[in-house]
């Protein structure tokens, strides 16, 4: 009972003494000595010198002593591999012991000894133990395979242990099944490509049966394994869900969270109209709430996960606001997480309650918590417009408390409120100014300076206030310096007469006395702007600011989906993908939610296969030289260029260029081949491939070259197609295309007179169309068009015409008149001519908008056979005004987040997933007007493939 | 999975260190000590990432238990395991203290070897463990072959928490329904929020492998049963309660609960927590507090508080305590109460009124005059809520145990031979009334 004495021996010559004791004849003395050795080992002393003496004690009937020696062996065998061999015989003998506990102990310990020679000897006993009659031995042997795999993966494969392990999944004992599943899952993780965990409806059924019978830990292993499975259709998903839901009542929180993970993932496959979907949603909330009555550490894990769940499916917990109210004796980490979730759940319905709570929290003791509570009040104001006024007055109350950090935090959030609701709450500025002196944190100082600059015209002594900050300019942090510079320039532009001196002072401070390049650059820009064109300066500096988004800390949608697949694990606690904190190739297999399929068809897209994602090696893709070259060339050359054979293809295309015009006229003579008026974009199959392709590239080359010189914003131009064949229009043939350059749309027409008489008096008119396209100028054909003559005209278009939805959306009906008759034809315009140049969305706004648009509006497309890499795609799309807002690399896949805006103000958000080596891209589009998605997709196809 | 498990004392000295995975080195032991135990600031999270190594920790009195990993493990499982580890240790040697851990370090290593294999938690039911991990450690020599295989089949069996061959002369079981009732009430007597969180704790002294079935007045069950006789539904409908959510000990067959809502199980021997539940509807609030605070000028407050007990007159509430907060600038208090004892405690800024016992449907009141020091503090007194503590001999949620049937087919005792005891205890959780 008094084992503690072993911790106290610190005499000199201890090792020597221990050695003597270990070799003693008396059993009791031996045991005492081994205990002392283990105690020394625990506290970190090196007792490896005793190795032979300790191993000598291994041959014993005393189980306790044996276990102690094994413990010692596991620790030191690696440092003394040769001597560890001495132990092999005992192990092999123990594996034959009649007592199953001893057999299991031997195989368990042997697996922990990472010495090559020992693992060789391990194979035979392990094989026997895997087929042992006793389940206790089998379940231990199952784990041992995972251990051996960690030491020598090849050996495990060669010896066929993996197959034996797979067989154990059908074992009669649930605990053996659970351990086999755990071991296989771990091994499968390091071999993402292998089909080790061959999950199919039969094996899933076995797992679900074992789920009801095994220990709480076994249930976790099985549920975590189930979460990696992708059911083949919604019916299978539902039947698995039905068998997993009982786990939500388990007392073990980890079982509950793993069950939630399976349900959250499989729910993705269920149609929202299904009754079962609603039932499932309702079943999720109570167990999540119950997790909050667990121990604080588990509460923390639960809260981090709930944070993800409410972002993914806000409807689950929308009525449960009260349970997230902070309790007085919650640990700080629980309090902070609860606060986060409260803000996410805040809505008009519960905002009064939330604000009352937040105000309470702002008077607590913990500084971090109070700060976060104050910030939360600001976020409520931004999120729920109706509450803004109340929030502002609450913040003012808090400023009155004069508690330093509360005041500073309040000022920072009030700045955001001003950004969100301009010209609404300026009355509070006076109160803010009173607290100017107490601000000592850079963020608060910067916020205050921003407010003074922004509302300089309403603050009488704005110049004095800013001047007071200027005194200690060099001691300020960069944030404050930059803000001060901008604020003074704003002030100058608003009140130029009184503040000339001040602005000069700040400009010289920023440009001459500072060694911060950012500050200097900004200073110079302002200086030059002010000195060359004050009007332009005003436009730039006092421009209208984009509104700030409601929620600033939302997780990106794809990352969120990935994290949902990791519910309950560390990744969900850190809110980071495992690759961010796990070393090496282990556990970095990219996971994603199954696609939403209501039909019973099987999904075959590669990213949904459980283990089909690319392995971790491709994490950092460094652009190869070829790609870089491709990028450079793409600026001048429209057509797809990829990989090494660049130089030659460029030359070839140059040659084609020369022929372009000739071919074009050739084609004009053959209206049959391309006669369909709907032909706008080359992918339309109507074009004879051999003729269409070179012509297309040749022409677009020409256009790109011309536009490339002056401006970068030349979007892709399709080759001209015949819209009105001569035979239908009494000899007038019209072919044309649409272009967009530097923000203006035009219709490039080619009129050919194939009749025998001269044509004059041309005029053009459009029917009403979806985007209000109309000619911005009359059709001017300067000279009469004599027979066989061709004239090229560029007709500028505007989008100010009257609007009427057409079917298809992008069709345009045109009437052309000449001295002979009026002719009608219709054509389709590519949507990308409507993409405006300021279609780049702010990153935050993008996130918020993406989330805001309901999922029903999301459309997914496949772009096949596009050999470009992410950089090339991005730059090419950008030249057609599709802007890449953000880019992320997820386990080798490039995710491009893109935005574009149509002339009528409709925003389209896109997520483009590019897998290196796979020419098929996945395009997800989200838009409030989902009918444009199809056409935007076509625009993507057109731009990327030409 | 878990890469290693360390136990430290309050100074950060290692008491137990068991490494399961090769990626965890000895330096991990020191990293946790330096960055968490010896950290200057308060620990901000139970999960810490230091140099790509994640540490999970829980604290029991002065002892730190830390699990270490370098992989993306199931975090909830790790914490559940650490709690379980504490339970197991407590079951073996009582309180988790430095002394006890040092005294039992060999045992702890033996346990750690058994309940974690390569970082995967294995059967950790104390009942099962105690059959083959003993503090003497010599049992192995005297076991017969049958005994050994019985142990292993029990450890790996479907019923890992119980073993064959348990015998009692008297078959007896005790059920405790323990509830804590939480309330936040407005000064006008409006309930702002109220909920009951309850537990059913069972102590069983039953022979063999008894099959038990537990029944309570769960609304869903009662309505299902009462479908045939409408008369009964209306009668029993009043007495049934709506349970928001409940969780069960792992011995309960969850799929059966999910489909039939029946609670059936083979119980562990002795004490365990059968279920936890939460209700929010139709809660019986045992006490109502009616506050009256009047400010007389700037220097005086008059407080009158009435408490009313709201349950059967035959029952007695115990350990009643009412805490009336007073302003910070209180200089003196005069209290008059009809029942119990009341005292002004300056250090706690409150008047504490204690009543030993109170029967149902009674009321009692206290009045106090509070003298205030004049201050120039403009900030008004925030009037914290009046809180209450008590204990009542019934379940405020209205939960009733309807039956607990015991079947043991192999042994010759029947349900009638089992002596059953049921006890209800309702305690106050956070029970507050704003004033």
């Amino acid at each position: 009972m008094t084992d503690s004495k072993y911790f106290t021996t610190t005499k000199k010559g201890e090792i020597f003494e221990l050695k003597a004791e270990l070799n003693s004849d008396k059993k009791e003395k031996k045991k005492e000595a081994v205990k002392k050795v283990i105690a020394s080992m625990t506290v970190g002393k090196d007792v490896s010198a005793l190795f032979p003496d300790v191993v000598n004690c291994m041959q014993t009937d005393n189980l306790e002593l044996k276990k102690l020696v094994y413990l010692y062996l596991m620790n030191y065998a690696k440092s003394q591999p040769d001597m560890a061999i001495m132990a092999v015989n005992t192990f092999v003998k123990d594996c034959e012991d009649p007592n199953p506990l001893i057999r299991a102990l031997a195989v368990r310990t042997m697996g922990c000894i990472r010495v090559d020679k020992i693992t060789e000897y391990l194979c035979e006993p392990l094989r026997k133990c895997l087929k042992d009659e006793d389940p206790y031995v089998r379940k231990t042997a199952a784990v041992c395979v995972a251990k051996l795999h960690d030491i020598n993966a090849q050996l495990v494969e060669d010896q066929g242990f993996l197959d034996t392990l797979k067989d154990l999944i059908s074992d009669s004992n649930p605990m053996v099944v659970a351990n086999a599943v755990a071991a296989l899952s771990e091994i499968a993780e390091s071999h993402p490509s292998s089909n080790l965990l061959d999950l199919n409806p039969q094996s899933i059924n076995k797992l679900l049966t074992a789920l009801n019978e095994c220990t709480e830990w076994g249930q976790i292993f099985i549920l975590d394994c189930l979460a990696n499975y992708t059911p083949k259709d919604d019916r299978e998903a539902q039947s698995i869900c039905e068998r997993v839901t009982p786990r939500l009542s388990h007392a073990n929180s980890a079982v509950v969270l793993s069950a939630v993970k399976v349900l959250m993932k499989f729910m993705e496959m269920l149609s929202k109209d299904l009754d079962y979907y609603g039932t499932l949603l309702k079943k999720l909330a109570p167990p999540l709430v119950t997790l909050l009555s667990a121990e604080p550490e588990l509460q923390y894990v639960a809260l981090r996960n709930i944070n993800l769940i409410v972002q993914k499916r806000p409807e689950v917990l929308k009525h449960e606001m009260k349970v997230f109210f902070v309790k007085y004796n919650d640990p700080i980490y629980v309090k902070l997480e609860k606060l986060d979730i409260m803000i996410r759940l805040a809505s008009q319905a519960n905002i009064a309650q939330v604000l009352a709570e937040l105000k309470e929290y702002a008077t607590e003791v913990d500084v971090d918590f109070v700060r976060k509570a104050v910030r939360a009040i600001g976020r409520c104001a931004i999120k729920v417009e109706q509450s803004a006024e109340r929030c502002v007055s609450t913040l003012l109350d808090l400023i009155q408390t004069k508690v330093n950090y509360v005041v500073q935090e309040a000022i920072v959030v009030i700045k955001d409120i001003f950004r969100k609701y301009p010209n609404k709450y300026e009355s509070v500025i006076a109160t803010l100014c009173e607290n100017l002196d107490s601000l000592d944190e850079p963020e608060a100082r910067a916020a205050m300076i921003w407010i003074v600059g922004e509302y300089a015209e309403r603050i009488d002594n704005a110049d004095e206030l800013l001047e007071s900050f200027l005194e200690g300019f060099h001691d300020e942090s960069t944030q404050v310096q930059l803000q001060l510079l901008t604020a003074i320039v704003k002030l100058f532009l608003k009140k130029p007469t009184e503040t000339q001196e001040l602005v000069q002072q700040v400009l010289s401070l920023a440009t001459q006395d500072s060694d911060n390049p950012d500050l200097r650059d900004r200073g110079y820009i302002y200086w030059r702007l002010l000195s060359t064109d004050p009007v332009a300066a005003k436009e730039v500096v006092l421009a209208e600011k984009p509104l700030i988004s409601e929620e600033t800390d939302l997780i990106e949608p794809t990352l969120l989906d990935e994290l949902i697949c990791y519910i309950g694990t560390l990744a969900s606690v850190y809110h980071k993908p495992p690759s961010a904190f796990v070393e090496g190739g282990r556990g970095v297999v990219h996971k994603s939610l199954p696609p939403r399929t209501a039909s019973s068809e099987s999904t075959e897209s590669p990213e949904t296969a459980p283990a089909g994602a690319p392995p971790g090696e491709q994490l950092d893709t460094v652009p190869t030289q070829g790609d870089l070259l491709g990028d450079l060339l793409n600026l001048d050359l429209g057509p797809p260029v990829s990989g090494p054979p660049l130089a030659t293809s460029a030359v070839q295309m140059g040659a084609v260029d020369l022929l372009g015009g000739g071919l074009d006229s050739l084609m004009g003579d053959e209206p049959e081949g391309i006669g369909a008026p709907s032909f706008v974009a080359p992918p339309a199959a109507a074009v004879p491939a051999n003729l269409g392709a070179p012509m297309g590239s040749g022409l677009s080359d020409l256009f790109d070259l011309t536009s490339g010189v002056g401006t970068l914003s030349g979007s892709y131009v399709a080759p001209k197609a015949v819209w009105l064949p001569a035979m239908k229009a009494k000899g007038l043939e019209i072919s044309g295309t649409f272009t967009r350059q530097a923000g203006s749309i035009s219709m490039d027409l080619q009129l050919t007179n194939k009749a025998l008489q001269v044509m004059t008096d041309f005029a053009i008119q459009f029917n009403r169309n979806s985007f209000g396209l109309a000619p911005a100028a009359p059709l001017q054909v300067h000279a009469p068009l004599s027979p066989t003559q061709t004239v090229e005209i560029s007709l500028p278009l505007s989008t100010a015409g009257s609007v009427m939805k057409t079917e298809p959306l992008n069709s345009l009906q045109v009437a052309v008149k000449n001295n002979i008759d009026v002719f009608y034809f219709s054509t389709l315009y590519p949507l990308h001519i409507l993409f405006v140049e300021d279609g780049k969305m702010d990153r935050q706004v993008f996130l918020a908008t993406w989330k805001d648009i309901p999922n029903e509006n999301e459309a997914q497309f496949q772009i096949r056979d596009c050999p470009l890499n992410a950089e090339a795609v991005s730059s090419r799309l950008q030249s057609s005004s599709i802007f890449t807002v953000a880019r992320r690399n997820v386990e080798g896949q490039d995710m491009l987040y893109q935005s574009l805006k149509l002339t009528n103000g409709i925003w389209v958000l896109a997520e483009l997933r590019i897998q290196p080596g796979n020419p098929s891209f996945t395009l997800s589009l989200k838009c409030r007007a989902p009918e444009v998605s199809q056409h935007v997709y076509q625009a993507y196809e057109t731009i990327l493939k030409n | 999975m878990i890469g290693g498990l360390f136990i430290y004392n309050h100074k950060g000295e290692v008491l137990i260190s068991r490494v399961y995975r090769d990626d965890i080195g000895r330096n991990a032991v020191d990293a946790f000590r330096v960055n968490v135990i010896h950290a200057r600031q308060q620990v901000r999270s139970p999960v810490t990432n230091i140099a790509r190594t994640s540490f999970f920790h829980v604290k029991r009195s002065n002892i730190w238990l830390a699990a270490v990993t370098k992989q993306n493990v199931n975090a909830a499982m790790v914490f559940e395991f650490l709690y379980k580890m504490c339970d197991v240790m407590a079951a073996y040697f009582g309180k988790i203290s430095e002394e006890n851990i040092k005294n039992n370090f060999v045992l702890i290593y033996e346990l750690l070897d058994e309940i974690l294999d390569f970082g995967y938690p294995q059967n950790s039911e104390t009942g099962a463990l105690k059959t083959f991990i003993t503090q003497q450690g010599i049992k192995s020599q005297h076991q017969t072959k049958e005994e050994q295989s019985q142990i292993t089949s029990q450890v790996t069996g479907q019923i890992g928490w119980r073993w064959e061959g348990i015998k009692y002369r008297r078959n007896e079981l005790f059920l405790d329904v323990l509830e804590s009732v939480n309330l936040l009430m407005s000064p006008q007597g409006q309930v702002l929020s109220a909920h009951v969180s309850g537990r059913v704790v069972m102590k069983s002294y039953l022979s063999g492998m008894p099959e038990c079935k537990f029944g309570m007045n769960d609304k869903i069950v009662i309505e299902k049963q009462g479908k045939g006789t409408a008369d009964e539904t209306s009668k029993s409908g009043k007495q049934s309660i709506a349970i928001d959510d409940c969780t069960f000990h792992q011995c309960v067959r969850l799929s059966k609960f999910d489909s039939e809502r029946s609670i059936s199980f083979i119980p562990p021997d002795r004490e365990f927590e059968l279920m936890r539940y939460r209700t929010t509807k139709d809660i019986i609030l045992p006490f109502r507090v009616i506050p009256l605070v009047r400010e007389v000028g700037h220097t005086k407050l008059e407080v009158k508080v009435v408490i009313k007990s709201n349950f059967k007159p035959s029952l007695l509430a115990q350990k009643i305590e009412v805490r009336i907060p007073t302003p910070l600038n209180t200089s003196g208090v005069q209290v008059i109460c009809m029942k119990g004892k009341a005292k002004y405690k300056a250090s706690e800024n409150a008047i504490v009124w204690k009543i030993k016992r109170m029967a149902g449907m009674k009321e009692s009141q206290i009045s106090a005059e509070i003298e205030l020091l004049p201050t120039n503090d403009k900030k008004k007194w925030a009037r914290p809520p009046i809180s209450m503590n008590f204990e009542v001999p019934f379940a405020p949620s209205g939960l009733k145990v309807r039956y607990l049937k015991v079947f043991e087919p192999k042994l010759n005792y029947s349900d009638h031979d089992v002596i059953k005891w049921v006890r209800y205890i309702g305690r106050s959780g956070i029970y507050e009334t704003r004033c």
Side-chain angles (χ1 to χ4, degrees), chain A residues 630 632-642 653 657 696-705 707 714-717 868 872 875-877 879 942-946:
Chain A
L632 285 173
L633 286 165
N634 268 332
L635 281 179
D636 326 270
L637 299 167
V641 234
S642 67
M653 273 180 292
D657 262 2
S697 56
L699 266 178
S700 57
D701 266 2
L702 273 179
F703 281 112
D704 272 22
L705 279 174
S707 64
S715 57
Y716 164 74
V717 179
L868 302 175
S875 68
R876 180 167 308 177
L877 290 173
S879 61
T942 312
I943 297 163
L944 288 176
K945 292 196 178 162
N946 291 284

Side-chain angles (χ1 to χ4, degrees), chain A residues 42 61 134 136 139 147 179 186 216-217 249 251 253 290 297 322 332-333 368 568 570-571 574 582, chain B residues 21-22 26 44 52 54 72-73 75 80 83 103 109 114 117 120 122 124 141 152 192 245 247-248 250:
Chain A
T42 299
D61 304 334
D134 195 296
Y136 183 79
K139 70 116 187 162
K147 290 180 191 167
N179 275 3
E186 179 166 342
E216 45 194 328
W217 315 116
S249 315
S253 310
T290 300
E297 291 88 3
K322 274 187 190 165
I332 181 68
Y333 49 80
D368 281 350
L570 261 181
Y574 294 144
V582 174
Chain B
R21 297 267 173 154
D22 202 37
R26 182 80 200 176
R44 286 305 199 181
R52 290 197 150 226
S54 299
N72 182 31
V73 298
E80 283 285 5
Y83 301 143
N103 278 336
Y109 276 125
E114 187 57 43
D117 190 3
Y120 288 108
Q122 305 292 307
S124 45
Q141 286 123 42
T152 56
L192 298 175
D245 187 38
T247 60
F248 296 99
Q250 62 166 319

Side-chain angles (χ1 to χ4, degrees), chain A residues 1-4 6-7 35 38 41-44 61-64 67 71 74 78 99-100 105 108 114 134-136 139 143 146-147 173 175 179 182 186 212-213 215-217 220-221 224 246-247 249-254 258 286-287 289-290 295 297-298 300-301 322 332-333 366 368 566 568-571 574 578-583 586, chain B residues 14-18 21-22 26 42-49 52 54 56-58 69-77 79-81 83-84 102-103 105-106 109-110 113-114 117-118 120-125 132 135-138 140-141 143 148 151-152 155-156 158 192-193 244-250 254-255 257-258 276 278 430:
Chain A
M1 275 311 275
T2 50
D3 285 352
S4 59
Y6 303 118
F7 283 88
K35 281 188 183 180
I38 300 292
M41 195 176 85
T42 299
V43 297
D61 304 334
N62 186 317
L63 200 53
E64 189 188 10
K67 283 182 179 174
L71 192 63
M74 286 185 257
K78 222 174 151 189
N99 185 341
L105 178 65
R108 184 165 69 210
R114 306 178 63 94
D134 195 296
Y136 183 79
K139 70 116 187 162
V143 176
K147 290 180 191 167
N173 183 297
M175 197 152 169
N179 275 3
E186 179 166 342
N212 288 326
E213 295 167 348
T215 65
E216 45 194 328
W217 315 116
I220 299 168
F221 306 153
D224 284 351
R247 300 297 122 196
S249 315
H250 203 288
N252 186 315
S253 310
S258 291
V289 173
T290 300
E295 287 86 345
E297 291 88 3
L298 266 174
Y300 174 74
V301 173
K322 274 187 190 165
I332 181 68
Y333 49 80
D366 190 282
D368 281 350
Y566 288 115
T569 69
L570 261 181
Y574 294 144
S579 53
F581 59 90
V582 174
E583 265 165 18
R586 231 185 215 174
Chain B
V14 202
L15 304 177
I16 298 286
S17 117
R18 177 73 164 87
R21 297 267 173 154
D22 202 37
R26 182 80 200 176
Q42 187 197 351
V43 187
R44 286 305 199 181
S45 156
V47 184
T48 326
N49 193 319
R52 290 197 150 226
S54 299
F56 300 76
H57 72 265
V58 298
T69 184
K70 284 206 165 183
Q71 298 173 28
N72 182 31
V73 298
N74 189 322
M77 184 187 77
F79 281 122
E80 283 285 5
F81 176 78
Y83 301 143
K84 195 73 178 197
K102 279 186 170 173
N103 278 336
F105 84 96
V106 174
Y109 276 125
E110 211 175 316
D113 197 42
E114 187 57 43
D117 190 3
F118 201 39
Y120 288 108
Q122 305 292 307
N123 192 344
S124 45
E125 285 300 312
F132 67 105
Q135 297 200 31
Q136 284 73 40
I138 40 170
S140 64
Q141 286 123 42
Q143 284 167 341
Q148 288 162 359
I151 288 170
T152 56
V155 173
T156 58
Q158 288 180 25
L192 298 175
S193 75
D244 287 17
D245 187 38
C246 47
T247 60
F248 296 99
H249 186 268
Q250 62 166 319
L254 294 179
S255 39
F257 177 73
D258 195 62
R276 280 181 188 230
R278 187 160 42 87
I430 296 166

Side-chain angles (χ1 to χ4, degrees), chain A residues 201-481:
Chain A
Q202 287 78 39
S203 59
I204 290 291
N205 199 29
K206 273 178 205 152
L207 293 184
L208 286 168
T209 312
L211 185 62
N212 288 326
E213 295 167 348
C214 58
T215 65
E216 45 194 328
W217 315 116
Q219 296 186 17
I220 299 168
F221 306 153
I222 292 178
L223 286 169
D224 284 351
C225 173
L226 273 181
N228 288 331
Y229 176 64
T230 309
K232 66 178 189 312
D233 56 39
D234 53 340
R235 250 172 289 148
E236 194 189 0
Q238 179 175 342
S239 82
I240 297 177
C241 287
E242 278 165 358
R243 293 179 70 177
V244 167
T245 34
R247 300 297 122 196
L248 293 176
S249 315
H250 203 288
N252 186 315
S253 310
V255 175
V256 176
L257 268 179
S258 291
V260 168
K261 164 164 61 188
V262 174
L263 297 177
M264 281 292 284
K265 209 180 155 187
F266 290 5
M267 241 170 128
E268 200 71 13
M269 294 183 68
L270 301 177
S271 153
K272 286 191 177 173
D273 313 321
L274 227 59
D275 286 345
Y276 182 68
Y277 181 88
T279 323
L280 205 52
L281 267 187
K282 274 194 214 111
K283 277 194 175 169
L284 276 177
L288 288 174
V289 173
T290 300
L291 290 178
L292 297 183
S293 48
E295 287 86 345
E297 291 88 3
L298 266 174
Q299 274 189 55
Y300 174 74
V301 173
L303 285 165
R304 293 292 284 175
N305 279 288
I306 289 171
N307 200 328
L308 296 173
I309 293 166
V310 297
Q311 285 187 59
K312 182 72 190 164
R313 299 193 183 278
E315 62 271 28
V316 174
L317 288 165
K318 66 181 171 201
H319 299 304
E320 303 287 353
M321 173 59 97
K322 274 187 190 165
V323 299
F324 297 104
F325 285 175
V326 170
K327 291 197 193 108
Y328 180 76
N329 47 3
D330 280 335
I332 181 68
Y333 49 80
V334 169
K335 285 184 176 173
L336 293 172
E337 291 306 316
K338 280 188 173 173
L339 203 51
D340 240 6
I341 294 168
M342 278 173 69
I343 300 161
R344 293 213 195 283
L345 293 177
S347 66
Q348 206 182 331
N350 56 24
I351 193 75
Q353 245 182 341
V354 173
L355 267 182
E357 283 291 312
L358 291 175
K359 205 176 167 185
E360 288 283 314
Y361 304 162
T363 58
E364 281 242 20
V365 198
D366 190 282
V367 178
D368 281 350
F369 181 60
V370 170
R371 281 172 179 274
K372 198 158 182 175
V374 175
R375 235 167 238 242
I377 296 174
R379 276 169 65 186
C380 285
I382 291 166
K383 196 172 172 194
V384 185
E385 185 160 3
Q386 293 81 356
S387 75
E389 191 148 349
R390 217 161 24 191
C391 294
V392 171
S393 76
T394 309
L395 287 170
L396 281 180
D397 284 353
L398 290 173
I399 289 177
Q400 301 299 353
T401 62
K402 305 275 176 197
V403 179
N404 189 278
Y405 52 86
V406 173
V407 173
Q408 310 213 34
E409 210 57 47
I411 285 182
V412 173
V413 289
I414 286 180
K415 179 200 77 178
D416 288 342
I417 295 176
F418 281 168
R419 280 289 301 276
K420 174 81 181 179
Y421 309 109
N423 306 320
K424 219 166 160 191
Y425 299 109
E426 288 73 46
S427 50
V428 308
I429 292 176
T431 324
L432 302 186
C433 290
E434 286 166 22
N435 292 288
L436 215 58
D437 301 331
S438 65
L439 307 180
D440 53 10
E441 290 163 21
E443 202 180 354
R445 284 173 84 85
M448 192 61 219
I449 292 169
W450 182 87
I451 293 171
V452 173
E454 191 64 17
Y455 295 96
E457 69 272 29
R458 305 183 206 194
I459 306 173
D460 297 332
N461 58 345
D463 48 344
E464 282 170 38
L465 292 176
L466 292 176
E467 201 169 1
S468 69
F469 280 106
L470 207 54
E471 280 159 19
F473 190 78
H474 289 297
D475 302 328
E476 298 283 4
S477 74
T478 312
Q479 192 184 11
V480 179
Q481 289 176 333

